[in-house]
């Protein structure tokens, strides 16, 4: 994901002039607590959460958001009970199969970031199929972060650059922010302008550690299965009322906007 000169992400001046963020990233949290509060199994929370995904995808597209990244499964989530992991993988596969038509109808390109090789073979195949089928769509990029860890992403970028240095293809002095971000999972994707996390948790949990450098963070108290269109719009409103300074003064920002 690209940075601009002086470390000020390129996307941000565009979004400062428009109320709709170009890139929204969401940590979809609270499925388990939603289920527990209703004496339901955790997996039921995940099932209901998948319905919220559909709403958020459609609404984002309608609003003209260009990139939507959803945190679906973290590297740390592999340590959950095997039955929950298996249920999540099955749900994930079913989601990919059932949403294909909706994605195509809405000109949505599906992409995935993460350590995808760890996913079960059938999930990898569904993912590849869905990515291939939607590859030409240009209305919105829906980026699913699965088996994703920000630290792993950064370490793998460093590893690739180290190999290039070892082979004599790169001099260490050439490594700067732009070159480094070019080695991350989605090098063409601009940094998120807005990060939403549901269920009142105020942490990043290893999500997009590099790319969130200047994202506005909005925490919603609502558990993901109950996250509604109205609550989503409220989060977007909170974003549009923020002043993003990127380390500058208000006076400098006023000059930039003229
Ligand atoms: C988010 O909900 C979904 C995943 C992490 C896969 P959780 O399953 O984390 O729900 P809580 O946080 O336990 O309520
Ligand atoms: C973050 O949620 C990962 C996803 C939403 C996929 P977690 O529920 O795993 O995060 P922690 O463990 O509460 O930090
Ligand atoms: Mg959680």
């Amino acid at each position: 994901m690209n940075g601009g000169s002086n470390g000020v992400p390129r996307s941000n001046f565009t979004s400062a002039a428009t109320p709709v963020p170009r890139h929204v990233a969401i940590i979809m949290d609270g499925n388990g607590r939603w289920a527990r509060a209703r004496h339901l199994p955790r997996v039921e929370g995940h099932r209901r959460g998948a319905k919220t995904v559909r709403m958020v995808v459609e609404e984002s597209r309608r609003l003209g958001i260009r990139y939507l990244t959803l945190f679906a499964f973290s590297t740390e989530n592999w340590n959950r009970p095997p039955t929950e992991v298996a249920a999540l993988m099955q749900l994930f596969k079913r989601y990919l199969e059932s949403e294909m038509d909706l994605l195509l109808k809405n000109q949505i390109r599906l992409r995935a970031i993460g350590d995808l090789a760890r996913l079960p073979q059938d999930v990898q195949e569904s993912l590849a199929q869905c990515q291939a089928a939607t590859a030409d769509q240009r209305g919105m990029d829906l980026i699913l972060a699965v088996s994703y860890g920000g630290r792993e992403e950064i370490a793998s970028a460093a590893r690739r650059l180290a190999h290039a240095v070892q082979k004599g293809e790169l001099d260490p002095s050439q490594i700067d922010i732009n070159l480094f971000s070019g080695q991350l999972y989605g090098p063409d994707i601009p940094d998120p302008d807005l990060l939403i996390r549901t269920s009142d948790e105020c942490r990043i949990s290893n999500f997009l550690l590099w790319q969130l450098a200047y994202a506005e963070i909005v925490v919603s108290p609502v558990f993901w299965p109950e996250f509604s269109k109205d609550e989503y719009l409220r989060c977007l409103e909170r974003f549009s009322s923020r002043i993003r300074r990127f380390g500058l003064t208000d006076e400098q920002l006023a000059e930039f906007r003229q």
Side-chain angles (χ1 to χ4, degrees):
M1 304 195 189
N2 284 330
S5 58
N6 305 324
V8 177
R10 226 176 276 128
S11 67
N12 298 313
F13 289 111
T14 352
S15 68
T18 56
V20 175
R22 179 147 71 141
H23 183 175
V24 176
I26 307 181
I27 302 178
M28 312 183 286
D29 201 11
N31 293 352
R33 279 163 287 163
W34 178 88
R36 192 174 57 204
R38 284 158 188 77
H39 308 287
L40 295 167
R42 288 179 61 84
V43 64
E44 195 49 40
H46 297 315
R47 222 170 273 139
R48 286 294 293 261
K51 292 189 180 165
T52 309
V53 171
R54 182 174 303 151
M55 178 280 290
V56 165
V57 168
E58 283 191 297
E59 196 56 15
S60 301
R61 173 69 180 108
R62 194 183 68 76
L63 290 165
I65 289 163
R66 185 60 188 78
Y67 300 89
L68 174 68
T69 300
L70 301 177
F71 201 5
F73 192 85
S74 72
T75 43
E76 289 74 19
N77 291 150
W78 286 116
N79 300 321
R80 289 193 179 189
T83 49
E84 180 167 343
V85 172
L88 278 165
M89 290 301 142
Q90 211 193 355
L91 258 178
F92 186 45
K93 184 169 181 273
R94 210 177 306 150
Y95 173 82
L96 292 169
E97 287 163 0
S98 66
E99 300 302 289
M100 192 95 95
D101 288 347
L102 191 85
L103 297 179
L104 288 170
K105 194 179 110 205
N106 288 295
Q107 294 95 41
I108 298 171
R109 174 184 176 194
L110 185 113
R111 305 173 67 172
I113 55 170
D115 184 1
L116 306 180
R118 277 184 85 177
L119 296 169
Q121 199 57 41
D122 58 338
V123 175
Q124 287 189 44
E125 279 160 19
S126 297
L127 205 46
Q129 264 170 20
C130 204
Q131 292 193 83
T134 62
D136 296 333
Q137 304 304 314
R138 290 291 173 268
M140 181 175 89
D141 283 21
L142 169 61
I143 303 139
L144 298 179
V146 270
S147 185
Y148 174 86
R151 287 176 166 179
E152 288 75 4
E153 180 180 28
I154 291 170
S156 81
R159 204 160 39 238
R160 248 187 307 242
L161 291 173
H163 278 305
V165 169
Q166 195 180 37
K167 284 195 270 172
E169 296 165 358
L170 181 71
D171 188 88
S173 65
Q174 291 172 272
I175 300 174
D176 60 8
I177 290 170
N178 278 325
L179 196 87
F180 197 91
S181 36
Q183 297 301 317
L184 297 173
Y185 292 139
D188 61 302
I189 303 168
D191 290 340
D193 302 293
L194 167 64
L195 170 70
I196 298 172
R197 183 164 186 159
T198 57
S199 84
D200 236 357
E201 301 293 358
C202 298
R203 54 178 172 265
I204 303 282
S205 300
N206 204 12
F207 188 42
L208 301 176
L209 296 180
W210 174 283
Q211 299 87 340
L212 290 172
Y214 265 101
E216 291 296 323
I217 301 176
V218 169
V219 172
S220 161
V222 178
F223 292 142
W224 181 249
E226 282 190 323
F227 190 75
S228 63
K229 200 183 282 190
D230 283 352
E231 182 60 12
Y232 188 29
L233 294 177
R234 268 194 293 277
C235 293
L236 293 167
E237 259 167 43
R238 283 167 70 187
F239 167 81
S240 64
S241 68
R242 300 271 178 89
I243 297 169
R244 308 179 73 190
R245 295 193 184 81
F246 306 104
L248 306 182
T249 65
D250 284 334
E251 291 70 23
Q252 286 175 301
L253 285 180
E255 237 171 83
F256 266 118
R257 289 199 188 118
Q258 269 167 18

